[in-house]
Amino acid sequence: MIDGKIDSKCDAWEVFHRRSEKKSVLVERGRIKSVAGEIEQGYAVRVIVKGRIGFAFSQNLEEAFERAIKIARISGEELSDFPEGGWTDVKGIYNRGFEDITGEWLKESASRLILPCTDMNVNAASGSVEVERSTTSIKNSSGFEMEKKETSCVAFLEAVCDGSSAYEYVQSRNFNVDFDSVGAKAAQLALQSRNPLKLEKTCSVVLSPLALNQLLSYTLYQALSAESLLKGRSPLKPGDFLGEITIFDDATLDSGLNSMPFDDEGCKSTRKEVIHKGELKTFISDYRSSLLLKIEAGNSHRDELTSYPSITPTNMVIEYERSSDIENNSLVVHSVIGAHTANPVSGDFSVECMNAFYNGMPAKAMLYGNIYSALKKIECLGKKTKQVDFTVSPPVRFGEGAMHIV
Amino acid sequence: MEFYDVRKVESSSLLLNLENGKIEKPRYEHSYEKGFRVLKNGFWGVFSGNVSDDEGIERAKANAVGKGEAEIVEAGEGGRYIMKVKKSPADVAVDEKVELMREIEKELKASYVVSTRIVYMENVRRLSYADCFGTEAYYEVTRSGMIVQAVGKDEVMQFYSRRMLKPAGYEIFDDGAFEMASDVRVRLGELLKARLPPSGEMNVVVNPSLCGVFVHEAFGHAVEADHVLQGATILAGRIGEKVASSDVCIYDDPTLMEFGFYPFDDEGVKAERKKIVEEGILKSYLHSRETAAKLGGLPGNARAQGVAEPIVRMSNTYMGEGDYTLDELIEEAENGIFLAGSRGGETNPASGYFQFNAQYGYIIRDGELAEPVRDVSLSGHTLSILQNIKLGNVIEFDPGFCGKAGQLVPVADGGPYALVSAKVGGAT
């Protein structure tokens, strides 16, 4: 069907198909509430007609093609062909054991989330364990035809105690999620965060990998997108200096949450040094922007099966020369609320701290500042690296004055 | 098996982006999905996937592997609703839509504008609902809208955006779309010259858009009854108590023709207006059929993205008006800050702390508006703010998408101008 009838109606085509199977369990107030299963699949089709790209999603391949061809006519997005693509061997992103996960296993995992809360007399208010396995195939008229298999497991728990609340979540490609630790961490944070006092001083700020990811996702990572650069929405340009930090975008990282053999338009995965000792070296890019800027592609991602592919970081590995014990005399922040309200164009942000501590005492504070200025004032990194969504980093200490505390 | 239900959702959408003069990422989506729930021994088994109804129910039943305390109230009569729009988007040629976007884009041109983006969207959602009690509901709702955004550059970079999103057809663009774009251009020019905001606790006059975000984020999420059952809201167990100043009334009304409109919720319950707070007294929570069974109350606020599990959600949530004019509120504030527009917000219902960000503001000095400010955010504790609030006399709504448990649903938030005391922070 693709090779015959369609070829005559468009100059190039791409079929993206994903079949994902999810299973999950929900926790409500210390009890297991439900087990759910979901099977999702469909076709996202892109075509090029007279140099213009059209996109459509449907569960019916023929309909997807027809609609994509129809809409390409009004498109101003130009491309001559889809990528020939490639494959990089990546380890640890698929575990066959996920095929045999049962409702009983999910219930047992959820019980392990809850138990530490029960032991500490803290309310395991809401939580979940979700496992997913997916098979994604991409075929295009440039001859690319490949399939990738992935698995993931996410555990989340929010604990509540005397008006104090905290959450913890851990993601993995495998079964190595320590459910007991997730429950214990949330419970301990909720207990320790009771009766916070307003912090009345200026000091350095330590962001946990979770808080760091929250902040960078809505500021720096958006500014590092090649599309932001091309459209005048990034305050950054190659050669800019952002302190002394080094950041790799590494889609090949073993067991990385966003590692993959090829991205969501078939471009082979790579490891790129985006920032070298503070100097901005390159931007993250999809295929089309990579042609315009003459940089590497490999960062095309579809949030959902129905989504248009867009530029997204993979595993942003943060490195810095100095590491040490970093928490003394600093405001140590586990997570923040309101990071998504940051201004991605200017880098300005203001967030409310959740579960923050000063020398072990619970503190409440609003943090505000500019992420690009703050990155220049990083003092050191902690020692224990963790991946949260895109960010692979230890805790990071920002020097006094890097962020304002209200 | 105590209960089962089946949902079928068909959704068709067209999304167009006009970015810097080019239509980019034009996208058509059509999906049909089925969702199944079974309640057995007080435990939920859920399944979604395009299988036969019998197989779907069996798969959901196979997931009901535990024992729990869940129960459910009946939905009522169900019914059928098909929205009649004046101009169906399907009857308007796509070229006409693009032409309209191009005309609107012209309103954004200015020397300081370095990037523009106009998003056009149309969607038709068809929901069929049936349960084992015999409830059957069906609706077909059309939503249309546009988002206009521009980035400006002077000594700093700033962006500003506005949106019009309604349960309506193409007629929504007959009024206000061009004015919205020219407002974006003018406001962006002001923002580029705006100064850094002050920080600290101060008097704040918020506009209806920001008041609506406060009502939604800080209060609305705290009255969602699933949070009450989780023990994760500061308003758990406080029905009948005074939680706000006597001037405060808060409602959730899915029957209003704002973006959060729906005729039936995703459990087949006919939509109706809910009185949440009246004269400062907490009157009710927002309920699904399950939370209504456990806590008492009226269901009708269970919503889902696609066929995900329906959970308790808001619709069109707003604070009732007071007596003050805007000038009077600014005069009352005397010294402080006026904040307007929303870049979104977030709350933690368990602790009551909230944070949200304004699109722009002005210093209030000696009871009058003074110089503009940018990148300002507001945070505080929900109940403290509501104890001392003065309300304006006109209500307006702002549309958006609310995220919860990984699901997005269309909502609208509303309120009047209001004077509060809150913590303000901003850029460096």
Side-chain angles (χ1 to χ4, degrees):
Chain A
M1 181 255 173
I2 295 170
D3 299 330
K5 200 162 109 189
I6 295 302
D7 268 350
S8 64
K9 292 185 181 175
C10 59
D11 305 316
W13 51 262
E14 171 198 76
V15 179
F16 179 94
H17 178 264
R18 181 181 290 153
R19 184 185 193 279
S20 70
E21 192 166 343
K22 289 182 195 166
K23 288 178 182 168
S24 59
V25 58
L26 288 183
V27 170
E28 181 180 274
R29 201 166 199 159
R31 295 189 67 125
I32 300 169
K33 185 187 175 191
S34 66
V35 170
E38 177 189 338
I39 295 174
E40 186 187 42
Q41 61 180 326
Y43 298 97
V45 167
R46 285 196 298 174
V47 296
I48 300 172
V49 180
K50 294 180 182 170
R52 294 158 183 266
I53 305 174
F55 173 98
F57 170 84
S58 172
Q59 285 130 339
N60 179 300
L61 182 58
E62 197 165 345
E63 183 192 24
F65 263 112
E66 277 175 16
R67 292 284 186 169
I69 288 167
K70 196 173 170 189
I71 207 169
R73 186 174 54 81
I74 55 108
S75 175
E77 192 167 6
E78 294 166 354
L79 193 65
S80 58
D81 222 335
F82 291 109
E84 291 176 9
W87 173 285
T88 303
D89 278 328
V90 177
K91 294 187 181 73
I93 62 169
Y94 186 78
N95 186 315
R96 281 187 185 282
F98 278 64
E99 292 164 22
D100 304 319
I101 282 177
T102 62
E104 290 300 330
W105 183 88
L106 287 166
K107 272 175 59 190
E108 170 60 26
S109 305
S111 299
R112 287 172 55 196
L113 282 179
I114 297 167
L115 193 59
C117 295
T118 311
D119 290 345
M120 288 186 242
N121 202 22
V122 170
N123 171 17
S126 67
S128 60
V129 176
E130 182 176 299
V131 294
E132 179 176 9
R133 66 188 174 98
S134 65
T135 303
T136 304
S137 62
I138 301 177
K139 184 175 179 179
N140 69 28
S141 52
S142 298
F144 183 85
E145 184 174 5
M146 285 194 185
E147 183 179 279
K148 58 183 174 183
K149 286 178 180 284
E150 297 170 83
T151 48
S152 71
C153 176
V154 182
F156 163 84
L157 190 80
E158 182 187 9
V160 175
C161 175
D162 299 336
S164 156
S165 158
Y167 69 89
E168 172 70 343
Y169 75 107
V170 171
Q171 307 151 280
S172 174
R173 292 292 203 168
N174 292 294
F175 288 106
N176 56 357
V177 173
D178 185 345
F179 300 105
D180 310 81
S181 294
V182 173
K185 179 76 184 277
Q188 280 160 3
L189 278 170
L191 273 172
Q192 291 164 358
S193 303
R194 287 175 299 173
N195 307 314
L197 293 175
K198 188 179 172 191
L199 192 66
E200 303 272 9
K201 63 191 303 172
T202 306
C203 62
S204 54
V205 174
V206 175
L207 296 185
S208 73
L210 171 56
L212 186 67
N213 181 72
Q214 288 174 312
L215 213 47
L216 296 185
S217 294
Y218 294 101
T219 50
L220 178 68
Y221 296 164
Q222 294 193 21
L224 290 175
S225 156
E227 189 176 351
S228 298
L229 178 68
L230 285 166
K231 290 179 176 163
R233 292 178 194 150
S234 174
L236 304 177
K237 59 184 183 310
D240 280 354
F241 271 88
L242 296 166
E244 297 168 34
I245 198 167
T246 294
I247 301 181
F248 290 92
D249 177 86
D250 187 357
T252 69
L253 188 70
D254 281 0
S255 302
L257 298 175
N258 304 301
S259 296
M260 57 203 164
F262 54 86
D263 73 358
D264 283 350
E265 51 184 359
C267 293
K268 95 184 247 191
S269 291
T270 61
R271 177 176 188 262
K272 297 181 276 286
E273 192 173 31
V274 180
I275 298 173
H276 174 74
K277 292 188 176 175
E279 185 181 359
L280 179 55
K281 292 288 190 186
T282 190
F283 282 69
I284 56 172
S285 185
D286 60 2
Y287 179 63
R288 185 167 166 268
S289 298
S290 77
L291 297 177
L292 296 169
L293 291 172
K294 296 185 173 37
I295 58 175
E296 275 188 293
N299 285 83
S300 185
H301 173 75
R302 308 186 195 222
D303 269 342
E304 295 179 20
L305 189 48
T306 57
S307 305
Y308 201 97
S310 64
I311 298 171
T312 309
T314 63
N315 308 301
M316 300 296 262
V317 183
I318 296 178
E319 295 178 357
Y320 196 71
E321 280 184 353
R322 291 186 290 281
S323 72
S324 67
D325 294 324
I326 61 174
E327 298 191 352
N328 283 347
N329 300 322
S330 300
L331 177 68
V332 181
V333 183
H334 175 68
S335 65
V336 298
I337 60 174
H340 67 288
T341 65
N343 185 337
V345 171
S346 67
D348 291 333
F349 65 87
S350 49
V351 294
E352 185 72 18
C353 296
M354 241 185 105
N355 314 119
F357 304 91
Y358 184 80
N359 286 341
M361 301 298 292
K364 62 179 171 184
M366 176 196 259
L367 289 181
Y368 69 91
N370 180 285
I371 195 66
Y372 308 113
S373 305
L375 288 171
K376 292 174 183 166
K377 293 175 184 164
I378 288 178
E379 286 185 341
C380 59
L381 268 58
K383 289 180 175 165
K384 195 173 174 189
T385 296
K386 180 181 174 183
Q387 178 162 18
V388 178
D389 293 339
F390 306 118
T391 305
V392 184
S393 175
V396 174
R397 187 167 80 196
F398 294 86
E400 193 173 318
M403 295 181 190
H404 295 260
I405 300 169
V406 184
Chain B
M1 186 159 60
E2 293 112 71
F3 173 80
Y4 70 81
D5 65 5
V6 179
R7 286 169 295 134
K8 298 168 187 173
V9 174
E10 184 179 8
S11 173
S12 302
S13 304
L14 175 67
L15 288 119
L16 303 171
N17 273 286
L18 182 67
E19 298 199 44
N20 299 331
K22 281 186 175 178
I23 291 287
E24 296 207 357
K25 302 177 182 173
R27 184 167 117 208
Y28 173 81
E29 287 176 30
H30 178 218
S31 61
Y32 177 75
E33 302 169 285
K34 289 179 170 184
F36 308 88
R37 297 189 304 175
V38 162
L39 184 61
K40 187 178 151 195
N41 298 322
F43 192 93
W44 287 103
V46 181
F47 177 75
S48 63
N50 282 344
V51 296
S52 71
D53 290 2
D54 288 344
E55 184 185 342
I57 291 166
E58 279 309 308
R59 282 184 178 243
K61 195 171 160 187
N63 284 331
V65 290
K67 285 191 178 170
E69 295 175 341
E71 49 191 320
I72 194 161
V73 297
E74 295 200 13
E77 292 176 1
R80 185 177 171 85
Y81 174 91
I82 295 178
M83 181 187 280
K84 289 187 175 60
V85 295
K86 288 179 188 161
K87 228 187 272 184
S88 169
D91 295 339
V92 179
V94 71
D95 301 77
E96 190 178 324
K97 292 165 186 167
V98 172
E99 188 52 36
L100 174 68
M101 293 168 79
R102 291 196 186 286
E103 287 300 314
I104 290 171
E105 188 189 42
K106 289 178 186 168
E107 292 290 328
L108 294 172
K109 302 283 182 213
S111 58
Y112 50 82
V113 173
V114 295
S115 182
T116 61
R117 184 179 185 205
I118 295 172
V119 179
Y120 168 90
M121 64 149 281
E122 64 186 49
N123 171 263
V124 179
R125 186 181 202 247
R126 297 178 181 89
L127 168 75
S128 299
Y129 179 88
D131 70 16
C132 61
F133 299 138
T135 306
E136 287 189 9
Y138 175 85
Y139 74 68
E140 190 177 303
V141 168
T142 302
R143 286 187 165 83
S144 303
M146 201 173 277
I147 301 168
V148 176
Q149 180 187 318
V151 176
K153 191 172 182 182
D154 195 345
E155 286 176 13
V156 294
M157 285 182 85
Q158 284 289 300
F159 80 99
Y160 184 69
S161 70
R162 282 195 50 192
R163 53 198 169 191
M164 55 192 306
L165 303 162
K166 288 268 187 183
Y170 200 74
E171 69 276 5
I172 182 182
F173 305 114
D174 290 346
D175 285 316
F178 288 90
E179 289 79 357
M180 182 171 72
S182 58
D183 177 59
V184 167
R185 183 191 69 239
V186 172
R187 189 69 63 195
L188 185 62
E190 280 187 14
L191 269 174
L192 289 169
K193 294 185 175 8
R195 55 170 264 192
L196 302 172
S199 62
E201 196 85 22
M202 64 188 75
N203 286 331
V204 184
V205 176
V206 294
N207 82 338
S209 171
L210 212 46
C211 181
V213 173
F214 171 77
V215 170
H216 177 103
E217 291 294 340
F219 202 87
H221 282 297
V223 294
E224 290 170 337
D226 50 350
H227 287 142
V228 177
L229 285 177
Q230 290 161 3
T233 161
I234 46 166
L235 293 173
R238 300 193 63 176
I239 293 286
E241 288 184 24
K242 195 162 191 301
V243 294
S245 143
S246 301
D247 296 332
V248 173
C249 296
I250 298 175
Y251 310 93
D252 184 83
D253 191 352
T255 69
L256 289 175
M257 292 310 277
E258 296 291 341
F259 201 48
F261 167 83
Y262 53 83
F264 302 94
D265 76 354
D266 285 57
E267 294 188 315
V269 179
K270 193 171 181 190
E272 62 177 316
R273 179 181 186 249
K274 304 280 169 46
K275 197 181 287 175
I276 300 169
V277 172
E278 192 175 38
E279 294 178 354
I281 308 289
L282 182 62
K283 290 291 183 182
S284 74
Y285 300 124
L286 298 177
H287 286 288
S288 65
R289 289 168 67 178
E290 180 188 354
T291 64
K294 280 195 176 164
L295 296 170
L298 296 171
N301 281 80
R303 304 180 68 189
Q305 179 178 351
V307 290
E309 280 181 71
I311 51 176
V312 180
R313 304 305 295 263
M314 285 170 263
S315 60
N316 303 307
T317 314
Y318 64 99
M319 190 179 285
E321 71 271 25
D323 300 324
Y324 288 85
T325 63
L326 174 58
D327 288 345
E328 287 168 345
L329 289 173
I330 290 168
E331 204 176 313
E332 282 273 327
E334 198 172 349
N335 289 299
I337 195 164
F338 169 81
L339 297 180
S342 162
R343 285 214 304 253
E346 193 172 351
T347 186
N348 182 300
S351 64
Y353 287 101
F354 67 86
Q355 189 277 351
F356 45 77
N357 213 306
Q359 287 194 300
Y360 65 94
Y362 293 91
I363 299 292
I364 299 174
R365 191 175 296 117
D366 300 328
E368 290 187 357
L369 290 185
E371 60 272 25
V373 291
R374 60 179 165 86
D375 288 315
V376 199
S377 77
L378 201 60
S379 71
H381 193 272
T382 310
L383 298 184
S384 315
I385 293 257
L386 285 174
Q387 293 306 328
N388 197 1
I389 185 169
K390 292 187 169 74
L391 300 168
N393 53 11
V394 180
I395 295 175
E396 289 172 30
F397 283 86
D398 215 8
F401 290 89
C402 171
K404 179 179 171 186
Q407 299 188 47
L408 286 177
V409 294
V411 295
D413 315 324
Y417 288 98
L419 168 62
V420 297
S421 175
K423 195 161 67 177
V424 169
T428 51

